Amino acid sequence: STNGNAYIAKQATQGNAPTNATYWSQFTQGSGGIWNAGLSLGSASQKLRVNSGGNALEFFTEPTVTSDFVNLASHRSTNTTSQVSLDGYFTSDYEHYLIRAYLLDDKWLKFRFNVGGSTHTGSNWNWVNDKVYRTSSSQSSSIAGAFNSDYCPVIWHSQISNVQSNVQILISNPLGTSRYKTIEFTTSGYNNSNEVQNEHGAGYFHGTQGALSGFTFVQSSGTNFDDIGIDLYGLK
C-alpha cells in the first residue's frame, strides 16, 4: 500500500501503518530523494538549505550579484598601430573607470581623451609626474611636468626602450558637464638602462567641461606599438 514511498515518523509509534497520517509523514514519493512532503514549497528559483539551528530545512533566495566592478572593454595588439582608442564605453552606470594596461619594448606613452568620438589634440593638459628608480649601483628620483600640453604622459621619464611597463589610470565622472576632468596614474617598469622604476602623477584636462566619450593611447616615438594590452573597468 505504500507504493514505494518513503515515510518519516512524526512521533513514537509501533504497529501503525506508514499510511496513517497521525503517526507518519510522507518523506518522498517513489524511490530516491530527500523531500519532505510536509514542507511547503518556496518561491520560484529559491534554493533549499538547512537552517541556522541545524534542525530543519528552509528555502532561501541567494543575494543578487551586483555589477560594481566590470570589465567593459579590452584591446590587444602587436606592431599594428601607433595609437589605440577605446570609445563609447562611458555610461551613467559607473562613476569611476579604471584602465589597466601593459606595454612591451615601447617608449614613453601619451594619453589623450576623446570628445564626441574623436581624439582631442588641443593643448589642454596640465600634468605632473614623479619618478623613483633604482639601478644596480644607485637610486634617485626626478619630477617632470607641463602646462597646456597636448597630451598627458603616463610614462615619461624613461624615453628609451622599455622592456616592460605596467600602467594604471583612474578616471572619475567622465560624463559630467559642470567641471573639468582629472586623471591619476601609476606606472612601473624595467628599461634598457637596467632601471627598476615607478612613476606616479596626475593630469588635469581643461579642453571641455562637457562629457567625454573615451580615451586614446599614443606611441610617443611615432612608431607602432610593439605589444600593448588594455582593459577598461567600470566601478560603482
Side-chain angles (χ1 to χ4, degrees), residues 48-197:
L48 189 65
R49 67 184 176 190
V50 177
N51 67 6
S52 59
N55 55 13
L57 298 175
E58 65 179 6
F59 287 100
F60 73 102
T61 301
E62 286 189 321
T64 301
V65 178
T66 60
S67 55
D68 292 346
F69 187 88
V70 174
N71 187 310
L72 302 175
S74 297
H75 172 88
R76 304 288 185 271
S77 61
T78 303
N79 197 32
T80 57
T81 181
S82 61
Q83 68 178 39
V84 176
S85 182
L86 293 181
D87 198 86
Y89 296 100
F90 295 152
T91 70
S92 59
D93 292 338
Y94 301 98
E95 180 72 12
H96 309 284
Y97 294 84
L98 179 68
I99 302 169
R100 296 279 299 178
Y102 69 82
L103 293 87
L104 300 178
D105 297 326
D106 282 305
K107 296 185 178 181
W108 51 289
L109 181 65
K110 297 178 180 179
F111 178 88
R112 289 176 172 142
F113 276 131
N114 297 354
V115 179
S118 300
T119 303
H120 189 282
T121 58
S123 299
N124 298 114
W125 280 98
N126 303 340
W127 59 269
V128 64
N129 188 324
D130 184 17
K131 169 193 172 183
V132 294
Y133 68 90
R134 171 75 196 190
T135 67
S136 60
S137 59
S138 65
Q139 61 188 32
S140 187
S141 62
S142 58
I143 298 176
F147 261 53
N148 299 321
S149 174
D150 65 356
Y151 59 88
C152 182
V154 295
I155 299 176
W156 167 257
H157 293 269
S158 292
Q159 298 180 32
I160 55 179
S161 294
N162 287 313
V163 175
Q164 179 174 337
S165 295
N166 298 310
V167 181
Q168 181 168 284
I169 303 171
L170 180 64
I171 305 169
S172 296
N173 194 29
L175 297 183
T177 58
S178 61
R179 63 181 181 181
Y180 294 119
K181 312 304 188 292
T182 61
I183 66 170
E184 178 184 0
F185 58 88
T186 302
T187 64
S188 60
Y190 183 81
N191 61 41
N192 283 2
S193 294
N194 294 321
E195 292 178 352
V196 179
Q197 63 186 55

Side-chain angles (χ1 to χ4, degrees), residues 4 6 8 10 88 116 147 183 192 199 228:
I8 187 169
K10 298 163 66 174
F147 261 53
I183 66 170
N192 283 2
E199 300 181 45
I228 185 171

